[in-house]
PDB file of all heavy atoms in Angstrom:
ATOM      1  N   ILE V   1       0.840  -1.204   0.000  1.00 98.00           N
ATOM      2  CA  ILE V   1       0.000   0.000   0.000  1.00 98.00           C
ATOM      3  C   ILE V   1       0.877   1.256   0.000  1.00 98.00           C
ATOM      4  O   ILE V   1       0.601   2.216  -0.728  1.00 98.00           O
ATOM      5  CB  ILE V   1      -0.959  -0.014   1.215  1.00 98.00           C
ATOM      6  CG1 ILE V   1      -1.969  -1.153   1.068  1.00 98.00           C
ATOM      7  CG2 ILE V   1      -1.661   1.325   1.375  1.00 98.00           C
ATOM      8  CD1 ILE V   1      -2.755  -1.443   2.339  1.00 98.00           C
ATOM      9  N   ALA V   2       1.935   1.248   0.793  1.00 98.00           N
ATOM     10  CA  ALA V   2       2.851   2.397   0.823  1.00 98.00           C
ATOM     11  C   ALA V   2       3.494   2.608  -0.544  1.00 98.00           C
ATOM     12  O   ALA V   2       3.599   3.753  -1.019  1.00 98.00           O
ATOM     13  CB  ALA V   2       3.917   2.198   1.896  1.00 98.00           C
ATOM     14  N   ASP V   3       3.907   1.533  -1.199  1.00 98.00           N
ATOM     15  CA  ASP V   3       4.501   1.642  -2.540  1.00 98.00           C
ATOM     16  C   ASP V   3       3.477   2.146  -3.557  1.00 98.00           C
ATOM     17  O   ASP V   3       3.784   3.002  -4.394  1.00 98.00           O
ATOM     18  CB  ASP V   3       5.065   0.296  -2.994  1.00 98.00           C
ATOM     19  CG  ASP V   3       6.266  -0.144  -2.176  1.00 98.00           C
ATOM     20  OD1 ASP V   3       6.886   0.699  -1.487  1.00 98.00           O
ATOM     21  OD2 ASP V   3       6.593  -1.356  -2.232  1.00 98.00           O
ATOM     22  N   LEU V   4       2.273   1.607  -3.496  1.00 98.00           N
ATOM     23  CA  LEU V   4       1.197   2.042  -4.399  1.00 98.00           C
ATOM     24  C   LEU V   4       0.917   3.531  -4.218  1.00 98.00           C
ATOM     25  O   LEU V   4       0.780   4.277  -5.189  1.00 98.00           O
ATOM     26  CB  LEU V   4      -0.076   1.238  -4.136  1.00 98.00           C
ATOM     27  CG  LEU V   4      -1.368   1.816  -4.719  1.00 98.00           C
ATOM     28  CD1 LEU V   4      -1.362   1.745  -6.233  1.00 98.00           C
ATOM     29  CD2 LEU V   4      -2.582   1.113  -4.147  1.00 98.00           C
ATOM     30  N   THR V   5       0.840   3.975  -2.964  1.00 97.00           N
ATOM     31  CA  THR V   5       0.546   5.384  -2.679  1.00 97.00           C
ATOM     32  C   THR V   5       1.631   6.289  -3.257  1.00 97.00           C
ATOM     33  O   THR V   5       1.332   7.313  -3.876  1.00 97.00           O
ATOM     34  CB  THR V   5       0.378   5.602  -1.168  1.00 97.00           C
ATOM     35  OG1 THR V   5      -0.678   4.747  -0.708  1.00 97.00           O
ATOM     36  CG2 THR V   5       0.050   7.047  -0.845  1.00 97.00           C
ATOM     37  N   LYS V   6       2.878   5.902  -3.092  1.00 96.00           N
ATOM     38  CA  LYS V   6       3.973   6.696  -3.651  1.00 96.00           C
ATOM     39  C   LYS V   6       3.855   6.781  -5.178  1.00 96.00           C
ATOM     40  O   LYS V   6       4.021   7.848  -5.772  1.00 96.00           O
ATOM     41  CB  LYS V   6       5.329   6.101  -3.258  1.00 96.00           C
ATOM     42  CG  LYS V   6       6.484   6.927  -3.777  1.00 96.00           C
ATOM     43  CD  LYS V   6       7.819   6.431  -3.286  1.00 96.00           C
ATOM     44  CE  LYS V   6       8.906   7.340  -3.829  1.00 96.00           C
ATOM     45  NZ  LYS V   6      10.202   7.028  -3.291  1.00 96.00           N
ATOM     46  N   THR V   7       3.540   5.660  -5.812  1.00 97.00           N
ATOM     47  CA  THR V   7       3.382   5.649  -7.275  1.00 97.00           C
ATOM     48  C   THR V   7       2.194   6.508  -7.702  1.00 97.00           C
ATOM     49  O   THR V   7       2.305   7.328  -8.612  1.00 97.00           O
ATOM     50  CB  THR V   7       3.189   4.205  -7.776  1.00 97.00           C
ATOM     51  OG1 THR V   7       4.356   3.449  -7.460  1.00 97.00           O
ATOM     52  CG2 THR V   7       2.939   4.159  -9.275  1.00 97.00           C
ATOM     53  N   ALA V   8       1.060   6.332  -7.036  1.00 96.00           N
ATOM     54  CA  ALA V   8      -0.158   7.059  -7.415  1.00 96.00           C
ATOM     55  C   ALA V   8      -0.011   8.564  -7.228  1.00 96.00           C
ATOM     56  O   ALA V   8      -0.519   9.352  -8.028  1.00 96.00           O
ATOM     57  CB  ALA V   8      -1.340   6.541  -6.612  1.00 96.00           C
ATOM     58  N   TYR V   9       0.693   8.973  -6.179  1.00 95.00           N
ATOM     59  CA  TYR V   9       0.851  10.399  -5.888  1.00 95.00           C
ATOM     60  C   TYR V   9       2.062  11.011  -6.592  1.00 95.00           C
ATOM     61  O   TYR V   9       2.254  12.220  -6.533  1.00 95.00           O
ATOM     62  CB  TYR V   9       0.960  10.621  -4.377  1.00 95.00           C
ATOM     63  CG  TYR V   9      -0.373  10.629  -3.667  1.00 95.00           C
ATOM     64  CD1 TYR V   9      -1.250   9.544  -3.759  1.00 95.00           C
ATOM     65  CD2 TYR V   9      -0.772  11.709  -2.910  1.00 95.00           C
ATOM     66  CE1 TYR V   9      -2.468   9.539  -3.111  1.00 95.00           C
ATOM     67  CE2 TYR V   9      -1.996  11.715  -2.254  1.00 95.00           C
ATOM     68  CZ  TYR V   9      -2.833  10.625  -2.368  1.00 95.00           C
ATOM     69  OH  TYR V   9      -4.044  10.623  -1.728  1.00 95.00           O
ATOM     70  N   GLY V  10       2.854  10.191  -7.244  1.00 93.00           N
ATOM     71  CA  GLY V  10       4.069  10.668  -7.898  1.00 93.00           C
ATOM     72  C   GLY V  10       3.853  11.789  -8.893  1.00 93.00           C
ATOM     73  O   GLY V  10       4.712  12.657  -9.059  1.00 93.00           O
ATOM     74  N   GLU V  11       2.705  11.817  -9.537  1.00 90.00           N
ATOM     75  CA  GLU V  11       2.427  12.854 -10.530  1.00 90.00           C
ATOM     76  C   GLU V  11       2.396  14.253  -9.932  1.00 90.00           C
ATOM     77  O   GLU V  11       2.568  15.238 -10.635  1.00 90.00           O
ATOM     78  CB  GLU V  11       1.100  12.568 -11.239  1.00 90.00           C
ATOM     79  CG  GLU V  11      -0.110  12.743 -10.341  1.00 90.00           C
ATOM     80  CD  GLU V  11      -1.410  12.317 -11.000  1.00 90.00           C
ATOM     81  OE1 GLU V  11      -1.667  11.101 -11.049  1.00 90.00           O
ATOM     82  OE2 GLU V  11      -2.150  13.209 -11.453  1.00 90.00           O
ATOM     83  N   TYR V  12       2.175  14.360  -8.617  1.00 90.00           N
ATOM     84  CA  TYR V  12       2.086  15.670  -7.980  1.00 90.00           C
ATOM     85  C   TYR V  12       3.446  16.241  -7.599  1.00 90.00           C
ATOM     86  O   TYR V  12       3.560  17.438  -7.326  1.00 90.00           O
ATOM     87  CB  TYR V  12       1.201  15.594  -6.727  1.00 90.00           C
ATOM     88  CG  TYR V  12      -0.167  15.026  -6.991  1.00 90.00           C
ATOM     89  CD1 TYR V  12      -0.615  13.903  -6.318  1.00 90.00           C
ATOM     90  CD2 TYR V  12      -1.011  15.610  -7.940  1.00 90.00           C
ATOM     91  CE1 TYR V  12      -1.874  13.374  -6.569  1.00 90.00           C
ATOM     92  CE2 TYR V  12      -2.263  15.090  -8.195  1.00 90.00           C
ATOM     93  CZ  TYR V  12      -2.693  13.966  -7.509  1.00 90.00           C
ATOM     94  OH  TYR V  12      -3.920  13.445  -7.752  1.00 90.00           O
ATOM     95  N   ALA V  13       4.459  15.418  -7.581  1.00 89.00           N
ATOM     96  CA  ALA V  13       5.785  15.842  -7.118  1.00 89.00           C
ATOM     97  C   ALA V  13       6.340  17.004  -7.935  1.00 89.00           C
ATOM     98  O   ALA V  13       6.940  17.924  -7.382  1.00 89.00           O
ATOM     99  CB  ALA V  13       6.754  14.665  -7.143  1.00 89.00           C
ATOM    100  N   LYS V  14       6.116  16.982  -9.242  1.00 90.00           N
ATOM    101  CA  LYS V  14       6.695  18.021 -10.111  1.00 90.00           C
ATOM    102  C   LYS V  14       6.118  19.407  -9.827  1.00 90.00           C
ATOM    103  O   LYS V  14       6.777  20.406 -10.096  1.00 90.00           O
ATOM    104  CB  LYS V  14       6.510  17.647 -11.583  1.00 90.00           C
ATOM    105  CG  LYS V  14       5.080  17.658 -12.064  1.00 90.00           C
ATOM    106  CD  LYS V  14       4.963  17.178 -13.503  1.00 90.00           C
ATOM    107  CE  LYS V  14       3.593  17.176 -14.070  1.00 90.00           C
ATOM    108  NZ  LYS V  14       2.457  16.959 -13.230  1.00 90.00           N
ATOM    109  N   ASP V  15       4.915  19.472  -9.271  1.00 86.00           N
ATOM    110  CA  ASP V  15       4.266  20.757  -9.004  1.00 86.00           C
ATOM    111  C   ASP V  15       4.357  21.185  -7.543  1.00 86.00           C
ATOM    112  O   ASP V  15       3.856  22.244  -7.186  1.00 86.00           O
ATOM    113  CB  ASP V  15       2.789  20.686  -9.416  1.00 86.00           C
ATOM    114  CG  ASP V  15       2.623  20.468 -10.908  1.00 86.00           C
ATOM    115  OD1 ASP V  15       3.383  21.073 -11.690  1.00 86.00           O
ATOM    116  OD2 ASP V  15       1.735  19.670 -11.298  1.00 86.00           O
ATOM    117  N   ALA V  16       4.984  20.358  -6.715  1.00 85.00           N
ATOM    118  CA  ALA V  16       5.063  20.649  -5.282  1.00 85.00           C
ATOM    119  C   ALA V  16       6.443  21.181  -4.909  1.00 85.00           C
ATOM    120  O   ALA V  16       7.428  20.919  -5.597  1.00 85.00           O
ATOM    121  CB  ALA V  16       4.771  19.372  -4.483  1.00 85.00           C
ATOM    122  N   ASP V  17       6.481  21.905  -3.804  1.00 83.00           N
ATOM    123  CA  ASP V  17       7.744  22.346  -3.243  1.00 83.00           C
ATOM    124  C   ASP V  17       8.573  21.098  -2.919  1.00 83.00           C
ATOM    125  O   ASP V  17       8.089  20.184  -2.233  1.00 83.00           O
ATOM    126  CB  ASP V  17       7.472  23.150  -1.968  1.00 83.00           C
ATOM    127  CG  ASP V  17       8.731  23.540  -1.246  1.00 83.00           C
ATOM    128  OD1 ASP V  17       9.286  24.601  -1.577  1.00 83.00           O
ATOM    129  OD2 ASP V  17       9.162  22.765  -0.355  1.00 83.00           O
ATOM    130  N   PRO V  18       9.821  21.010  -3.398  1.00 85.00           N
ATOM    131  CA  PRO V  18      10.621  19.794  -3.203  1.00 85.00           C
ATOM    132  C   PRO V  18      10.833  19.415  -1.731  1.00 85.00           C
ATOM    133  O   PRO V  18      10.785  18.227  -1.381  1.00 85.00           O
ATOM    134  CB  PRO V  18      11.959  20.119  -3.876  1.00 85.00           C
ATOM    135  CG  PRO V  18      11.668  21.228  -4.812  1.00 85.00           C
ATOM    136  CD  PRO V  18      10.519  21.994  -4.225  1.00 85.00           C
ATOM    137  N   ASP V  19      11.065  20.395  -0.869  1.00 81.00           N
ATOM    138  CA  ASP V  19      11.255  20.084   0.550  1.00 81.00           C
ATOM    139  C   ASP V  19       9.973  19.544   1.167  1.00 81.00           C
ATOM    140  O   ASP V  19       9.988  18.569   1.924  1.00 81.00           O
ATOM    141  CB  ASP V  19      11.721  21.320   1.323  1.00 81.00           C
ATOM    142  CG  ASP V  19      13.128  21.738   0.936  1.00 81.00           C
ATOM    143  OD1 ASP V  19      13.911  20.861   0.507  1.00 81.00           O
ATOM    144  OD2 ASP V  19      13.436  22.934   1.059  1.00 81.00           O
ATOM    145  N   PHE V  20       8.855  20.174   0.817  1.00 81.00           N
ATOM    146  CA  PHE V  20       7.566  19.700   1.312  1.00 81.00           C
ATOM    147  C   PHE V  20       7.314  18.284   0.810  1.00 81.00           C
ATOM    148  O   PHE V  20       6.899  17.409   1.571  1.00 81.00           O
ATOM    149  CB  PHE V  20       6.426  20.630   0.870  1.00 81.00           C
ATOM    150  CG  PHE V  20       5.069  20.002   1.009  1.00 81.00           C
ATOM    151  CD1 PHE V  20       4.500  19.830   2.267  1.00 81.00           C
ATOM    152  CD2 PHE V  20       4.372  19.565  -0.106  1.00 81.00           C
ATOM    153  CE1 PHE V  20       3.252  19.234   2.405  1.00 81.00           C
ATOM    154  CE2 PHE V  20       3.127  18.970   0.028  1.00 81.00           C
ATOM    155  CZ  PHE V  20       2.560  18.811   1.285  1.00 81.00           C
ATOM    156  N   TRP V  21       7.566  18.048  -0.478  1.00 87.00           N
ATOM    157  CA  TRP V  21       7.248  16.740  -1.050  1.00 87.00           C
ATOM    158  C   TRP V  21       8.078  15.631  -0.400  1.00 87.00           C
ATOM    159  O   TRP V  21       7.557  14.552  -0.112  1.00 87.00           O
ATOM    160  CB  TRP V  21       7.417  16.731  -2.562  1.00 87.00           C
ATOM    161  CG  TRP V  21       6.720  15.547  -3.136  1.00 87.00           C
ATOM    162  CD1 TRP V  21       7.280  14.400  -3.608  1.00 87.00           C
ATOM    163  CD2 TRP V  21       5.318  15.362  -3.225  1.00 87.00           C
ATOM    164  NE1 TRP V  21       6.305  13.516  -3.994  1.00 87.00           N
ATOM    165  CE2 TRP V  21       5.087  14.094  -3.769  1.00 87.00           C
ATOM    166  CE3 TRP V  21       4.220  16.156  -2.889  1.00 87.00           C
ATOM    167  CZ2 TRP V  21       3.817  13.583  -3.993  1.00 87.00           C
ATOM    168  CZ3 TRP V  21       2.937  15.654  -3.117  1.00 87.00           C
ATOM    169  CH2 TRP V  21       2.756  14.386  -3.661  1.00 87.00           C
ATOM    170  N   SER V  22       9.321  15.895  -0.160  1.00 88.00           N
ATOM    171  CA  SER V  22      10.175  14.912   0.495  1.00 88.00           C
ATOM    172  C   SER V  22       9.636  14.574   1.888  1.00 88.00           C
ATOM    173  O   SER V  22       9.540  13.407   2.279  1.00 88.00           O
ATOM    174  CB  SER V  22      11.604  15.443   0.589  1.00 88.00           C
ATOM    175  OG  SER V  22      12.417  14.557   1.298  1.00 88.00           O
ATOM    176  N   MET V  23       9.267  15.601   2.646  1.00 86.00           N
ATOM    177  CA  MET V  23       8.692  15.410   3.974  1.00 86.00           C
ATOM    178  C   MET V  23       7.368  14.643   3.873  1.00 86.00           C
ATOM    179  O   MET V  23       7.120  13.701   4.635  1.00 86.00           O
ATOM    180  CB  MET V  23       8.454  16.753   4.657  1.00 86.00           C
ATOM    181  CG  MET V  23       7.726  16.644   5.987  1.00 86.00           C
ATOM    182  SD  MET V  23       6.912  18.182   6.509  1.00 86.00           S
ATOM    183  CE  MET V  23       5.723  18.427   5.208  1.00 86.00           C
ATOM    184  N   TYR V  24       6.531  15.022   2.914  1.00 88.00           N
ATOM    185  CA  TYR V  24       5.214  14.398   2.736  1.00 88.00           C
ATOM    186  C   TYR V  24       5.356  12.908   2.431  1.00 88.00           C
ATOM    187  O   TYR V  24       4.691  12.077   3.052  1.00 88.00           O
ATOM    188  CB  TYR V  24       4.453  15.112   1.608  1.00 88.00           C
ATOM    189  CG  TYR V  24       3.095  14.549   1.334  1.00 88.00           C
ATOM    190  CD1 TYR V  24       2.033  14.813   2.193  1.00 88.00           C
ATOM    191  CD2 TYR V  24       2.853  13.760   0.223  1.00 88.00           C
ATOM    192  CE1 TYR V  24       0.765  14.301   1.952  1.00 88.00           C
ATOM    193  CE2 TYR V  24       1.596  13.242  -0.032  1.00 88.00           C
ATOM    194  CZ  TYR V  24       0.551  13.522   0.835  1.00 88.00           C
ATOM    195  OH  TYR V  24      -0.688  13.003   0.592  1.00 88.00           O
ATOM    196  N   GLU V  25       6.239  12.561   1.504  1.00 94.00           N
ATOM    197  CA  GLU V  25       6.436  11.147   1.159  1.00 94.00           C
ATOM    198  C   GLU V  25       6.939  10.348   2.358  1.00 94.00           C
ATOM    199  O   GLU V  25       6.478   9.229   2.606  1.00 94.00           O
ATOM    200  CB  GLU V  25       7.411  11.004  -0.005  1.00 94.00           C
ATOM    201  CG  GLU V  25       6.785  11.267  -1.349  1.00 94.00           C
ATOM    202  CD  GLU V  25       7.709  10.897  -2.495  1.00 94.00           C
ATOM    203  OE1 GLU V  25       8.938  10.992  -2.348  1.00 94.00           O
ATOM    204  OE2 GLU V  25       7.175  10.507  -3.554  1.00 94.00           O
ATOM    205  N   SER V  26       7.865  10.911   3.093  1.00 94.00           N
ATOM    206  CA  SER V  26       8.425  10.224   4.256  1.00 94.00           C
ATOM    207  C   SER V  26       7.361  10.001   5.333  1.00 94.00           C
ATOM    208  O   SER V  26       7.230   8.894   5.875  1.00 94.00           O
ATOM    209  CB  SER V  26       9.591  11.036   4.812  1.00 94.00           C
ATOM    210  OG  SER V  26      10.069  10.457   5.988  1.00 94.00           O
ATOM    211  N   ARG V  27       6.602  11.039   5.637  1.00 92.00           N
ATOM    212  CA  ARG V  27       5.562  10.925   6.663  1.00 92.00           C
ATOM    213  C   ARG V  27       4.454   9.974   6.226  1.00 92.00           C
ATOM    214  O   ARG V  27       3.921   9.215   7.035  1.00 92.00           O
ATOM    215  CB  ARG V  27       4.978  12.302   6.987  1.00 92.00           C
ATOM    216  CG  ARG V  27       5.901  13.143   7.815  1.00 92.00           C
ATOM    217  CD  ARG V  27       5.238  14.427   8.223  1.00 92.00           C
ATOM    218  NE  ARG V  27       6.129  15.239   9.022  1.00 92.00           N
ATOM    219  CZ  ARG V  27       5.860  16.463   9.402  1.00 92.00           C
ATOM    220  NH1 ARG V  27       4.727  17.034   9.065  1.00 92.00           N
ATOM    221  NH2 ARG V  27       6.732  17.134  10.119  1.00 92.00           N
ATOM    222  N   THR V  28       4.105  10.028   4.945  1.00 95.00           N
ATOM    223  CA  THR V  28       3.061   9.152   4.420  1.00 95.00           C
ATOM    224  C   THR V  28       3.479   7.694   4.536  1.00 95.00           C
ATOM    225  O   THR V  28       2.716   6.842   4.997  1.00 95.00           O
ATOM    226  CB  THR V  28       2.745   9.508   2.954  1.00 95.00           C
ATOM    227  OG1 THR V  28       2.224  10.839   2.912  1.00 95.00           O
ATOM    228  CG2 THR V  28       1.737   8.551   2.349  1.00 95.00           C
ATOM    229  N   ARG V  29       4.706   7.393   4.121  1.00 97.00           N
ATOM    230  CA  ARG V  29       5.195   6.009   4.204  1.00 97.00           C
ATOM    231  C   ARG V  29       5.213   5.532   5.654  1.00 97.00           C
ATOM    232  O   ARG V  29       4.770   4.421   5.960  1.00 97.00           O
ATOM    233  CB  ARG V  29       6.573   5.893   3.561  1.00 97.00           C
ATOM    234  CG  ARG V  29       7.070   4.466   3.526  1.00 97.00           C
ATOM    235  CD  ARG V  29       8.251   4.269   2.585  1.00 97.00           C
ATOM    236  NE  ARG V  29       8.477   2.866   2.385  1.00 97.00           N
ATOM    237  CZ  ARG V  29       7.832   2.089   1.520  1.00 97.00           C
ATOM    238  NH1 ARG V  29       6.915   2.595   0.740  1.00 97.00           N
ATOM    239  NH2 ARG V  29       8.103   0.803   1.423  1.00 97.00           N
ATOM    240  N   ASP V  30       5.710   6.381   6.558  1.00 96.00           N
ATOM    241  CA  ASP V  30       5.762   6.017   7.967  1.00 96.00           C
ATOM    242  C   ASP V  30       4.355   5.741   8.505  1.00 96.00           C
ATOM    243  O   ASP V  30       4.133   4.753   9.217  1.00 96.00           O
ATOM    244  CB  ASP V  30       6.447   7.125   8.764  1.00 96.00           C
ATOM    245  CG  ASP V  30       6.554   6.784  10.230  1.00 96.00           C
ATOM    246  OD1 ASP V  30       7.195   5.769  10.567  1.00 96.00           O
ATOM    247  OD2 ASP V  30       5.978   7.531  11.041  1.00 96.00           O
ATOM    248  N   LEU V  31       3.415   6.595   8.173  1.00 95.00           N
ATOM    249  CA  LEU V  31       2.031   6.429   8.604  1.00 95.00           C
ATOM    250  C   LEU V  31       1.476   5.094   8.113  1.00 95.00           C
ATOM    251  O   LEU V  31       0.908   4.313   8.884  1.00 95.00           O
ATOM    252  CB  LEU V  31       1.187   7.592   8.071  1.00 95.00           C
ATOM    253  CG  LEU V  31      -0.305   7.535   8.352  1.00 95.00           C
ATOM    254  CD1 LEU V  31      -0.584   8.150   9.710  1.00 95.00           C
ATOM    255  CD2 LEU V  31      -1.060   8.298   7.275  1.00 95.00           C
ATOM    256  N   LEU V  32       1.645   4.825   6.821  1.00 97.00           N
ATOM    257  CA  LEU V  32       1.080   3.609   6.238  1.00 97.00           C
ATOM    258  C   LEU V  32       1.718   2.334   6.779  1.00 97.00           C
ATOM    259  O   LEU V  32       1.051   1.304   6.893  1.00 97.00           O
ATOM    260  CB  LEU V  32       1.201   3.659   4.711  1.00 97.00           C
ATOM    261  CG  LEU V  32       0.301   4.680   4.028  1.00 97.00           C
ATOM    262  CD1 LEU V  32       0.687   4.852   2.570  1.00 97.00           C
ATOM    263  CD2 LEU V  32      -1.162   4.284   4.162  1.00 97.00           C
ATOM    264  N   LEU V  33       2.983   2.401   7.118  1.00 97.00           N
ATOM    265  CA  LEU V  33       3.681   1.211   7.605  1.00 97.00           C
ATOM    266  C   LEU V  33       3.506   0.969   9.098  1.00 97.00           C
ATOM    267  O   LEU V  33       3.632  -0.177   9.547  1.00 97.00           O
ATOM    268  CB  LEU V  33       5.177   1.310   7.289  1.00 97.00           C
ATOM    269  CG  LEU V  33       5.560   1.243   5.823  1.00 97.00           C
ATOM    270  CD1 LEU V  33       7.061   1.434   5.674  1.00 97.00           C
ATOM    271  CD2 LEU V  33       5.113  -0.056   5.187  1.00 97.00           C
ATOM    272  N   ASN V  34       3.225   2.021   9.865  1.00 97.00           N
ATOM    273  CA  ASN V  34       3.317   1.884  11.310  1.00 97.00           C
ATOM    274  C   ASN V  34       2.082   2.232  12.133  1.00 97.00           C
ATOM    275  O   ASN V  34       1.972   1.763  13.263  1.00 97.00           O
ATOM    276  CB  ASN V  34       4.494   2.725  11.823  1.00 97.00           C
ATOM    277  CG  ASN V  34       5.798   2.259  11.223  1.00 97.00           C
ATOM    278  OD1 ASN V  34       6.134   1.084  11.299  1.00 97.00           O
ATOM    279  ND2 ASN V  34       6.527   3.174  10.592  1.00 97.00           N
TER     280      ASN V  34
END
């Protein structure tokens, strides 16, 4: 599910602030796994 979410949301990365996106992906993965 964490991998799927990263793939599905990947299209938004190009339009997002890079620092925010990095934080968002990390927090999302942690949330989904734990």
Side-chain angles (χ1 to χ4, degrees):
I1 293 167
D3 293 342
L4 164 68
T5 302
K6 182 174 181 174
T7 298
Y9 279 57
E11 69 186 79
Y12 305 122
K14 68 184 181 329
D15 296 320
D17 175 88
D19 292 333
F20 164 73
W21 196 255
S22 176
M23 174 201 63
Y24 180 76
E25 280 189 329
S26 175
R27 285 186 180 173
T28 297
R29 184 165 192 83
D30 181 61
L31 176 87
L32 290 169
L33 292 177
N34 299 307

